[in-house]
Amino acid sequence: MSKNLWKLLLLSPCVLGTALAVCTGAIASETPEISFAQGKDAIAAENKPEISFAQGKDAIATLNVAETEVNNSSVAELESPASSNTSILDQNNLEIEEDGADDAMGQVTNVTQLRDVRPGDWAYEALRSLVERYNCIAGYPDGTFRGSRAMTRYEFAAGLNACLRQIEKLIAGSPGDLASRADLDKIRQLVDQFAPEITTLRGRVDALEARTSELEATQFSTTTKLDGEVILGFASIVKGEDATGSRIDSTSVFGHRSRLNLETSFTGKDLLRTRLQAEGLAAFSERTLTQEGNLAFSGDSDNNVFIDALLYSFPIGEQTQIVVAANSGAADDFASTVNFLDGDGASGALSTFGTRPPIYYLAEGAGVGLRQQLGKKLELSLGYLAGDAANPEEDGGLFNGPYAALAQLLIKPTEKLNIGLTYIHSYNNNDTGTGSNLANFQGGLTRYFDRDLQGTSVGDTIGSLGFSTALPVVSNSYGLELSWQLSDRFVVGGWAGYTNTRTLSTLGGLLNRGDVDIWNWAVTLGFPDLGKKGNLGGIIVGMEPKLTNSSLRLNPGALPQLTALGIPLPPVGKNNDTSLHVEAFYQYQVTDNISITPGVIWLTAPDHNNRNDDLVIGVVRTTFTF
C-alpha cells in the first residue's frame, strides 16, 4: 500500500466523525425525513434521497455516500498541487446563519468550552477528537454546541468542508499520526452496527420512489385538487305559528346540500375555485312565511347541479390579495365576517342569521374584491359585486342592475381580538334573507305582486291600474362586529347593524317615496374543543332585522281602487314588537371528516309580532368532508 493511498484511507475517520458529531440530535428516531417536494425528479437528480440529518443513526447512509466519494477520488489529485484548484477541498466555504447573525458558529479549541456537551454524551469522544486533534468543529457564541437539534444540509456541508480543509493541511505536512488503528476500529464498529438500518433505509427509498411514480401516473391534475362537502340535514318545526298567526302542525324535512370544489393553482400562491353544487332542502320560510329562522344550508329543493361559485384570487406583493368573482361572489370571499361561529352552513351556526351579520348578505354576485394588510393590526377590505352582472338589458349588467359596494376596516389589537367596522352601499337590493317581512320590504312587495296577485283576475287588471311591480331602492348599511377569544375554550362576540333604505319609485302612484330604518344585533358565545378536541358549542341570542321606523305611506287615492277590487294592501308600516332569535348547537366531531350537529332555534315572536306564538325548530346536521 503506497503512502498516498494510506493517507487517503485516513480521510474516512474524520469524515465520519464530523457527521456523527454534528448529528448528535435524535439518534433514537428510526424514520428519516425525506423531501419529496419534487417527487420522483428530486430522487433522480442525485440518484439518492434527500435525507435530513436530524436522526443520527439514519445519517450513516449519507456518511457512506461521502466516504465512497472520497475513496473514489483520484489519488493523483491528492498528490499533485496543480490539481487542487479543481478538488472538492477547494470549494467555497459555506457561511452558515441560523436564526440571524447572533447564531454564527465560532471555533473552539477544547471540548470543555461547550457548556451543553458532557462526558456522558454518546458522541463526547468523537467531539473531543475532532476539536482537540483536528481543530475543525465549531460552537455557538453562547458556548453551546446544540447537539440535540436537527441540522441542515448546508450545515453538514460546512462542517465537512472545514474538516477536509484541515486534513488537507495535515496531509501536506506529511504527519505520521493522523489517525490511530483504534480510531479506524471504532468507526468500523459504528458502520457495522448501523448496517441493518442502512439496508432498511435503502428499501424504504426504493418503495417511496415506486409509489411516487405511481402517483405521478394516476394523479388527477398537476395543478388542480378536488375536495367535497356533503351536508345531510334533518329539521322539524316542533311548535308555533307562522307570520300570519296560523298554527303550524309539526313539520319535518330531510334534505342535503352537496358541493364539489375544483381548487386550481398555477403559481402556488393563486387560486381558481370552481364549485359545483346541488341543493335538496327548501327554506322553512315557505312554511313559516317569514325569513327568520332560515337554515344556512337550505336553498332550492330541485337537486339540479349548477356552478355555485367561480372565482380567482391572487396576491399582489405580500400585503395585497385580489379576488375576481364571475359567479356568486360573496362578502366573505374578500372580507372577514368576524363571527367565530361562521362556518358557511357546514359548521358552526345552523341558521342564516347566526352564521354572519345580515348586512353582509347584501353584497353578492359577480365583481372584484381586495384585501389589504396595513401592518399587523389593520386590514382593509374593498369590494364591488353586481347581482345581475351577466344581464345586458337596460336594468341589468354591472352598474345598472342590483349591486353592492363594501368597505371594511378590521382592527386587530391582539391575535385574539378582532373588531370590524363595515359600510355597504347597495342599489336595488334590500333583502338579506333574514328578519321580518317588513325588514325585507322590497322582496315583500315583489312577492305581494308575484304571489298574491299573479295569475288571478286581480293580477290581470293590476297593470290597467297603472301600478308597477318594480320598486328600486338604495340602501346604506353600517356594521360593528367583534370577536374576542378570552381563553382557548371560550370566545365571545357579536354585532350591531343598521340599514337606511330609500325608495326611488312610487309603484305607479301606489306609495309615496320614503325612508325606512332597519336594525339587527346579536351576542354570540363559542366554546371550542367542548368535550374533546375539535368539538364546538355555540349560543346565539339576538334580534333579526327589524323595521323600526318608516316614512312610507300608501297613496290615499289608490286605496279605493284596491279595496273595490278586493286587493290586499301591500306590506307597509313598521314592526311594533320585537322577536328574539335564540339558537344553541353542539358540533360533535366524529372523525376528521365527519361531524354531527344537533341544535335548536327559538323565535319568541315570529315576524316581530307578539300575537304569534313562539316558533321552535329542531335541527340535526351531519357534515361530510373529503
Side-chain angles (χ1 to χ4, degrees), residues 245-320:
S246 300
R247 175 68 58 183
I248 299 177
D249 296 329
S250 180
T251 302
S252 298
V253 295
F254 180 71
H256 74 98
R257 187 186 77 184
S258 302
R259 288 177 171 177
L260 289 177
N261 293 317
L262 297 172
E263 308 279 359
T264 303
S265 180
F266 304 100
T267 66
K269 295 182 179 180
D270 61 341
L271 174 66
L272 174 64
R273 173 177 294 156
T274 305
R275 174 182 293 161
L276 303 178
Q277 177 169 300
E279 296 173 323
L281 184 63
F284 267 129
S285 58
E286 297 184 11
R287 182 68 183 84
T288 63
L289 305 182
T290 174
Q291 298 190 80
E292 297 169 285
N294 272 343
L295 301 178
F297 52 89
S298 63
D300 295 331
S301 57
D302 53 15
N303 291 302
N304 291 330
V305 178
F306 61 97
I307 296 180
D308 174 63
L310 180 61
L311 61 86
Y312 180 62
S313 65
F314 58 93
I316 298 179
E318 297 182 356
Q319 305 296 323
T320 307

Side-chain angles (χ1 to χ4, degrees), residues 302-348:
D302 53 15
N303 291 302
N304 291 330
V305 178
F306 61 97
I307 296 180
D308 174 63
L310 180 61
L311 61 86
Y312 180 62
S313 65
F314 58 93
I316 298 179
E318 297 182 356
Q319 305 296 323
T320 307
Q321 189 77 17
I322 303 294
V323 177
V324 180
N327 179 53
S328 298
D332 64 305
D333 290 328
F334 55 88
S336 170
T337 61
V338 184
N339 186 18
F340 180 78
L341 303 180
D342 185 349
D344 198 24
S347 62

Side-chain angles (χ1 to χ4, degrees), residues 340-341 490-494 523-527 536-541 585:
F340 180 78
L341 303 180
F490 181 56
V491 181
V492 62
V523 175
T524 64
L525 303 176
F527 305 91
L536 175 64
I539 298 175
I540 301 115
V541 178
F585 66 88

